[in-house]
Amino acid sequence: MCAHILVAEDNELQSALIRRLLLSEGHEAVVVHDGRAAVDEALRRIPDLIVLDVMLPEIDGIGVCRALRRHHDIPVLMLTARSTEEDVLAGLDIGADDYMTKPYSPRELLARIRSVLRRTQRHGDGSDRVLRAGDIAVDPVRHEVRCGGRIVLCTPGEFEILLAMAAEPGRVFSRQQLLQHSSGFDRASTERAVDVHIMNLRKKIESNPRKPVRLQTVFGVGYKLVGGRGAS
């Protein structure tokens, strides 16, 4: 699949390498070297994916991702030298879809990019019906979530989790099962990453995220999506 990919990396050698890799795969690649330029370019022409370094001048990668999430659910693959669990969870919390630590191999980077693009561009695979759980509707073809009729912007990782749960309303999913449906974070992922996805989803679909009625916790087991409606 050919995609329009924005690369935000202030290291010119690294950005040139990433651009060559993307071009070799048949993608279109635009490179910027600071966070402000990344936001401007992403809003000027919405990319299919952003490869985003965390340590950028002007605005860091966290700030870029946060700014973009106010407007769009553009897939974001973050690159960083930080590799602790807290760093990974921080990336998830502001809406990143995958997270790679430096140094990385070119082959692994391309594999991660393919994986994110497959998740976000997957259509017409036979699972094209709208899935419903109460007033939650998940449309796999349009990659769209509605809650009580209103559009809910979800990251690809959040969408994949909600899609899996909406296919079986009332079923209890363990964190490990949901981790398999969520985006990226292969080796650095822990089950806490699922908790962050769930927390972010509750902010978007629950009237009171602290007292969820749609996306419920089953203590000691995991989570389930039920047909309840949020209080007005």
Side-chain angles (χ1 to χ4, degrees), residues 72-94:
H72 300 285
D73 57 351
I74 303 168
V76 174
L77 168 58
M78 300 195 82
L79 305 177
T80 182
R82 301 170 178 172
S83 59
T84 68
E85 181 186 51
E86 293 305 319
D87 291 319
V88 174
L89 295 176
L92 269 172
D93 190 44
I94 50 89

Side-chain angles (χ1 to χ4, degrees), residues 106-117:
R107 289 180 62 186
E108 183 180 6
L109 176 62
L110 284 177
R112 295 290 191 94
I113 289 171
R114 292 189 199 107
S115 178
V116 173
L117 290 174

Side-chain angles (χ1 to χ4, degrees), residues 9-10 26 34 53 67 70 72 76 99 102 115 135 143 146 169 171 174 177 183 195 204 213 219 226:
E9 166 65 76
D10 63 328
D34 67 73
D53 185 32
R70 298 190 190 108
H72 300 285
V76 174
Y99 193 106
K102 300 178 179 180
S115 178
D135 60 353
H143 206 272
R146 289 181 179 269
R171 173 186 167 182
S174 69
Q177 288 170 330
S183 296
D195 295 334
K204 298 175 180 182
V213 297
F219 292 100
V226 298

Side-chain angles (χ1 to χ4, degrees), residues 55-168:
M55 302 300 292
L56 289 174
E58 300 290 336
I59 305 173
D60 66 16
I62 298 294
V64 170
C65 193
R66 185 176 289 117
L68 294 177
R69 283 290 178 255
R70 298 190 190 108
H71 305 280
H72 300 285
D73 57 351
I74 303 168
V76 174
L77 168 58
M78 300 195 82
L79 305 177
T80 182
R82 301 170 178 172
S83 59
T84 68
E85 181 186 51
E86 293 305 319
D87 291 319
V88 174
L89 295 176
L92 269 172
D93 190 44
I94 50 89
D97 301 291
D98 205 345
Y99 193 106
M100 286 192 67
T101 56
K102 300 178 179 180
Y104 50 79
S105 74
R107 289 180 62 186
E108 183 180 6
L109 176 62
L110 284 177
R112 295 290 191 94
I113 289 171
R114 292 189 199 107
S115 178
V116 173
L117 290 174
R118 276 197 302 270
R119 289 193 298 266
T120 57
Q121 297 181 353
R122 182 170 55 207
H123 298 293
D125 61 356
S127 301
D128 56 356
R129 65 187 179 89
V130 176
L131 304 176
R132 301 182 185 277
D135 60 353
I136 299 290
V138 183
D139 188 332
V141 173
R142 294 183 175 85
H143 206 272
E144 182 179 276
V145 174
R146 289 181 179 269
C147 178
R150 64 179 175 84
I151 293 287
V152 177
L153 290 179
C154 294
T155 69
E158 294 164 1
F159 183 86
E160 293 291 340
I161 286 179
L162 207 55
L163 181 66
M165 300 182 81
E168 300 182 73

